[in-house]
Structures are given as C-alpha cells and as structure tokens.
C-alpha cells in the first residue's frame, strides 16, 4: 500500500499487505510530531505487547472435526487491563485484530477509561454453523486464550457476530476453569449474569451524543436534519432511532442486504422491526431500493458509517456530500479518504471518540461486577453522556489549539496519556 511507514515491522507481517494495521501505523505517524518529549516512546504504540494465535478445534454436529484460527491481541496495558471485543468473521486476520486492539488502546485513553487495548477474533462465518457448534467454538476459544484473559488482565466483550450469549459462554468457561464464578472476566453479558443495563444501546447512544455536540459546533439543528446510516445493527439501528426521535429525518439506510431510501424520512421504528424480522433492510416497504454506490453521494447533514472498516476510501470519499461524518464502526475511513473529506470541509468525528460508548458502559459493568452493586439505566445513561461530552469537548479543544482534525486531536490526547503512563512506569526489569 502507499505511504507504508519506514519503521521496523514484526516479521509475521507482510510489508506489502499491511491491511488495517498499516492504517493504524499511518495514524500514529501523523500524531508523532505533537507528542513532544514523549515521542521517544512512540515505538511502544507500534508494537503490540502480546499476540496470541490459537487453534480452535471442535466436533461439528455431523461428527467431523473442524479447526478454526483464533486470535487475542493485547496492544498496550500501561493504563490498566486490556479491553476489547471478540469477533466471529470469515475474513478476520491478525493484521485486523492488531489494528482493532490498538484502536481500543487509543479509544480507552481518549475517553480516559482505566484500560489498555485488546481484541480477539475467530475466522469463521457464523451463518454456516449451528448454535451448538458456535457454543463449542466459543468455549474452546475461551479455554485457549484463558491463559492471558481475566478480570484484572484482559476483559473481552461482544463485537461483530458475537453477543450477550457468547459472553455468557465465555464467562462460564473461564469460571469453570478457575473453579470460581468470575463475572468480571467479560462485559456485555446478560443482565442475569451481572450484565449492565444500557449496555446493548451504549455504542449507538454514544454516537448520537457526540453527533449532538458536533451539530452544536457546526450550527446544525437536529430537528429536520437529514441522516444516512450504513449498517443497521446494534450501533446504526440505535443511533438511527435516537436521531429519528430527536426529529431528524433518516433518509437512507444501507446494510449487507442492500440500500433503501426515502427523501421524506424512513419510519425508523418500523424499519428496525423489519430488520429484526427479515435480517436486513432489503424489502422494506417504506422506502425505495437504491444502488449501493449511490448511497455515498446523497446530500445529507449526517453520515453514520456503522458497518465494517475501510468503507469510506479513496474511491468513494469524493462523492460524499455530508456535513458531518460520525463513525459508528471501527476504522471505517482510510487515511487517504480522511484527507479527501478534510479538503472538502467535511467534519469527521472519529471512531476512537464517537463509538466509545460501548466500552464506557462495559467499564460501568466491570465496576458494578466488582462491587456487586448495580445502577439504574437512568444513572448509566447520565454517566455515559457526561463522559462522552467531556471527551468530545477536550478533543475539540485540542483540535482548535493545534489546527488539526478531530481524529489527530483524539490521537494526541490518547497517545499522550498512554505514553505518559509508559514513561512513569518505566521499563522492567
């Protein structure tokens, strides 16, 4: 890829095909000039602390044995235990999991949570396996990575194609191996097992909260504002509903089944019910089908990319006619696209800030598990909104001070916090 960083790379990566890790390295390179004396520690950010690749063998329902590749990467734990999701996806790679772990380090530091960054993944398409097979994959994977996870070491959470049930299986497996119930080993659990109220909606709610702050900064009235959303699962669906309830018009939604559009605004509640019933937006009667590529060119106040990474790239960034992009997904915008959006004057609220609501309420869940004292949903949402607003304010202030994008400002704030911790802890031995 272009602009490949010149610093040393781990031997297990291909410098010609760095994937998402290459995107992350470019972001670190951009922030390095703003780190002052801490820049002597910057290589810390470019090297994951610990990378575990495991074999996950299970017996399938038909009696045959299948093997899956699994990963758990702990990028940095200077500020606290590792924290980050586990995804089940056929295209998961080590490069991707490394980048996601690194973005978790940045995200946790950006909103000032006492965590480092980690991430996990298993290479499989969950649609091809039964619930019983997915349970066996989850339990075997948890046993394989059990040597490096724990309530004070590294706390997994749901991510793409994993959910509260997955976390229940992970918690149970870890607890059985430890010989004691350890509710704090994962977050995003069912309420019955020490999960937190507000966790399911937390990421989408955080996206909406920072979108409101950005709208205020850019003098956009939410009432009547136009919104388009890519990805209508947990994050995009929740954010879309909150925009709808605030009086905004969600005019288009795209997911893996297609794109639907209604210039007068989609009925988001009906669309959510349709998606829950049919598995995607395709076929929704309250809108017209639109070509997927045309979605990006719609004139809108807000664009919410809430699907997978690298969806906004050099090939489509120039088409975008949004005033504000609020990233619900992890890494949805490539560095090349970032520059194009910046040149067009489009205000981008980066993932490491805008989708930090999920890990913030995961933090609340972890705290509640340790204290065995649980808060009301109203308390949780109030605390979430305060943390998100405070983080946005600090990062927007940094952006104005240095005349940089919000993404670079978020990296300045976060990387400074991480490297300060690294510096004062020193090197042992």
């Amino acid at each position: 890829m272009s602009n490949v960083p010149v610093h040393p790379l781990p031997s297990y990566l291909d410098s010609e095909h760095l994937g998402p890790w290459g995107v992350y390295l470019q972001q670190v390179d951009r922030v390095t000039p703003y780190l002052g004396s801490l820049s002597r520690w910057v290589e810390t950010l470019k090297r994951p602390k610990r990378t575990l690749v495991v074999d996950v063998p299970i017996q399938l329902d038909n009696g045959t044995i299948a093997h899956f590749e699994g990963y758990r990467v702990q990028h940095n734990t200077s500020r606290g235990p590792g924290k980050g999701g586990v995804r089940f996806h056929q295209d998961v790679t080590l490069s991707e999991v490394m980048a996601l772990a690194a973005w978790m380090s940045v995200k946790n530091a950006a909103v000032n949570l006492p965590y480092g960054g980690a991430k996990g993944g298993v290479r499989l398409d969950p649609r091809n396996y039964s619930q019983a097979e997915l349970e066996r994959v989850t339990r075997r994977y948890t046993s394989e990575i059990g040597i490096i996870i724990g309530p004070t070491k590294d706390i997994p959470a749901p991510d793409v194609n994993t959910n509260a049930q997955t976390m229940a299986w992970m918690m149970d497996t870890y607890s059985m191996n430890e010989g004691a119930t350890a509710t704090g080993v994962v977050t995003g659990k069912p309420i019955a097992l020490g999960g937190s109220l507000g966790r399911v909606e937390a990421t989408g709610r955080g996206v909406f909260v920072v979108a409101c702050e950005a709208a205020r900064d850019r003098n956009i009235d939410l009432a009547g504002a136009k919104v388009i959303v890519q990805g209508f699962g947990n994050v995009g669906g929740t954010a879309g509903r909150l925009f709808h309830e605030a009086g905004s018009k969600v005019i288009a939604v795209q997911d893996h089944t297609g794109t639907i559009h209604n210039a007068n605004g989609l009925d988001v509640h009906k669309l959510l019910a349709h998606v829950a019933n049919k598995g995607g937006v395709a076929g929704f009667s309250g809108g017209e089908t639109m070509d997927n590529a045309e979605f990006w060119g719609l004139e809108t106040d807000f664009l919410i990319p809430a699907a997978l990474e690298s969806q906004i790239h050099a090939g489509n960034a120039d088409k975008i006619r949004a005033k504000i992009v609020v990233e619900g997904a992890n890494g949805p915008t490539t560095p090349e696209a970032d520059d194009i959006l910046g040149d067009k004057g489009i205000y981008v609220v980066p993932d490491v800030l805008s989708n930090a609501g999920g890990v913030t309420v995961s933090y609340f869940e972890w705290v509640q598990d340790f204290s065995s004292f649980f808060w009301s949903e109203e308390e949780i949402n109030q605390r979430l909104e305060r943390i998100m607003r405070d983080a946005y304010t600090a990062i927007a202030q940094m952006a104005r001070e240095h005349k940089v994008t919000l993404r670079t400002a978020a990296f300045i704030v976060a990387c400074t916090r991480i490297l300060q911790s690294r510096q004062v802890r020193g090197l042992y031995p």
Side-chain angles (χ1 to χ4, degrees):
M1 66 185 287
S2 60
N3 301 320
V4 174
V6 293
H7 39 70
L9 290 167
S11 59
Y12 49 81
L13 288 185
D14 177 358
S15 62
E16 294 301 310
H17 301 96
L18 278 178
W21 183 247
V23 172
Y24 165 74
L25 289 178
Q26 289 183 59
Q27 292 168 340
V28 173
D29 286 347
R30 288 181 180 207
V31 80
T32 304
Y34 302 97
L35 297 176
S37 62
L38 289 171
S39 59
R40 68 186 285 255
W41 293 95
V42 79
E43 284 294 318
T44 303
L45 300 171
K46 300 174 185 175
R47 298 160 191 271
K49 174 184 174 64
R50 186 176 287 120
T51 303
L52 181 63
V53 182
V54 296
D55 177 40
V56 183
I58 68 154
Q59 181 172 301
L60 298 178
D61 293 342
N62 65 10
T64 61
I65 306 299
H67 291 257
F68 303 96
E69 199 171 306
Y71 311 104
R72 187 70 186 175
V73 175
Q74 294 166 351
H75 172 257
N76 188 279
T77 56
S78 294
R79 303 180 72 250
K83 186 83 191 79
V86 173
R87 61 177 50 183
F88 288 177
H89 197 278
Q90 63 275 18
D91 297 326
V92 165
T93 63
L94 181 57
S95 166
E96 177 184 52
V97 177
M98 285 168 60
L100 291 165
W103 284 322
M104 284 303 301
S105 294
V106 174
K107 187 184 302 183
N108 287 321
V111 293
N112 213 14
L113 301 179
Y115 287 139
K119 205 76 176 188
V122 180
R123 279 180 71 88
L124 88 165
D125 185 344
R127 293 171 296 188
N128 297 337
Y129 299 93
S130 70
Q131 185 83 336
E133 288 168 336
L134 292 175
E135 177 176 353
R136 294 197 285 276
V137 167
T138 302
R139 290 185 180 278
R140 183 66 192 222
Y141 169 72
T142 305
S143 294
E144 295 293 346
I145 67 167
I147 54 174
I148 66 168
I149 65 171
T152 58
K153 292 182 184 176
D154 179 3
I155 306 111
D159 197 69
V160 175
N161 294 329
T162 55
N163 54 27
Q165 178 61 72
T166 318
M167 295 305 107
W169 291 329
M170 290 191 76
M171 189 213 87
D172 182 67
T173 305
Y174 181 85
S175 297
M176 291 300 101
N177 288 336
E178 289 291 303
T181 299
T183 55
V185 68
V186 294
T187 58
K189 301 181 296 295
I191 300 296
L193 292 179
S196 178
L197 296 169
R199 174 63 185 86
V200 173
E201 289 192 347
T203 307
R205 186 173 292 278
V207 167
F208 177 70
V209 169
V210 296
C212 292
E213 296 298 298
R216 189 174 299 121
D217 271 0
R218 310 301 274 192
N219 295 315
I220 294 173
D221 188 351
L222 278 189
K226 288 188 281 189
V227 182
I228 64 174
V229 185
Q230 190 208 29
F232 215 59
N234 189 19
V235 180
T238 299
R241 178 177 62 76
L242 293 170
F243 271 110
H244 180 71
E245 291 171 359
S248 303
K249 288 196 296 188
V250 178
I251 61 168
V253 174
Q254 179 179 104
D255 70 4
H256 64 284
T257 66
T259 304
I260 53 155
H261 173 251
N262 185 332
N264 296 317
L266 297 156
D267 185 324
V268 172
H269 292 108
K270 285 184 180 173
L271 178 57
L272 286 167
H274 174 86
V275 170
N277 190 30
K278 301 290 186 183
V281 302
F284 180 63
S285 59
E288 297 167 0
T289 302
M290 169 183 268
D291 182 74
N292 283 344
E294 288 178 19
F295 170 85
W296 301 104
L298 287 169
E299 192 172 329
T300 184
D301 295 298
F302 294 93
L303 162 59
I304 316 293
L308 293 170
E309 58 266 7
S310 301
Q311 296 298 296
I312 302 175
H313 46 76
N316 64 8
D318 202 42
K319 297 177 187 170
I320 290 173
R321 293 194 292 162
K323 292 174 183 170
I324 300 176
V325 174
V326 187
E327 297 182 337
N330 290 311
T333 311
T334 67
E336 296 84 0
D338 232 4
D339 291 341
I340 293 167
L341 297 181
D343 290 344
K344 286 165 66 85
I346 295 171
Y347 193 63
V348 180
V349 187
D351 52 356
V352 291
L353 167 61
S354 54
N355 73 15
V359 73
T360 301
V361 177
S362 274
Y363 166 59
F364 296 164
E365 180 178 332
W366 183 70
V367 169
Q368 291 170 89
D369 286 339
F370 269 112
S371 63
S372 297
F373 182 80
F374 292 84
W375 312 338
S376 71
E377 189 160 4
E378 185 184 13
E379 281 179 286
I380 285 160
N381 287 341
Q382 284 175 351
R383 292 178 190 211
L384 167 64
E385 289 176 20
R386 187 180 73 244
I387 284 175
M388 296 297 289
R389 284 199 186 99
D390 288 351
Y392 175 89
T393 301
I395 289 166
Q397 174 63 28
M398 181 69 75
R400 285 190 292 270
E401 244 174 65
H402 288 289
K403 296 183 173 56
V404 293
T405 65
L406 281 185
R407 190 183 315 278
T408 300
F411 270 73
I412 294 171
V413 169
C415 295
T416 297
R417 285 173 177 160
I418 295 166
L419 298 182
Q420 281 174 339
S421 299
R422 173 73 280 168
Q423 180 167 274
V424 294
R425 285 183 66 158
L427 295 174
Y428 173 84

